[in-house]
Amino acid sequence: MSDCLFCKIVASEIPATIVHETATTLAFRDINPHAPVHVLVIPKEHYEDAAALAEAGLAGDVLIAAAAVAAQEGIVESGYRVIFNTGPDAGRTVFHAHAHVLGGTGLSLRLG
């Protein structure tokens, strides 16, 4: 999509601090981090949300890349979160499926 911020990052039209790349995914640092490690992992092709990503069979690629980012960033032992924001109440601002990899500190929200 020509107006999608993340598609422009994939096309190298907008700079990003890339930390990991595969044939189908790209991972880069969030410009407004909420943790010491806050990396976004996106599919290189445009998918609207996590459900569309799963239907295309690429959710596994994004999760594998997220795990590789966590290992590379040294947060596997201390723990990390992988979050997909989907839907109007989730606070999503870019409508290109993406996972947030968060870690490097105690994360205060307890989900279970």
Side-chain angles (χ1 to χ4, degrees):
M1 296 185 71
S2 63
D3 62 340
C4 173
L5 175 67
F6 290 172
C7 288
K8 289 179 179 182
I9 290 173
V10 171
S12 299
E13 295 173 10
I14 295 177
T17 304
I18 296 169
V19 298
H20 185 77
E21 184 171 5
T22 70
T24 59
T25 66
L26 187 69
F28 51 91
R29 299 206 183 280
D30 193 298
I31 61 169
N32 185 27
H34 295 280
V37 174
H38 189 167
V39 174
L40 303 177
V41 182
I42 67 170
K44 288 183 175 179
E45 291 184 39
H46 185 91
Y47 294 94
E48 181 78 10
D49 56 28
L53 188 65
E55 287 177 23
L58 291 173
D61 289 4
V62 170
L63 290 172
I64 290 167
V69 166
Q72 178 180 309
E73 296 290 322
I75 58 173
V76 171
E77 286 189 32
S78 61
Y80 63 97
R81 286 195 181 143
V82 177
I83 300 170
F84 286 92
N85 294 322
T86 302
D89 290 338
R92 186 169 59 146
T93 58
V94 178
F95 294 89
H96 181 125
H98 58 284
H100 296 257
V101 178
L102 297 155
T105 189
L107 299 169
S108 61
L109 178 65
R110 303 289 179 226
L111 299 174

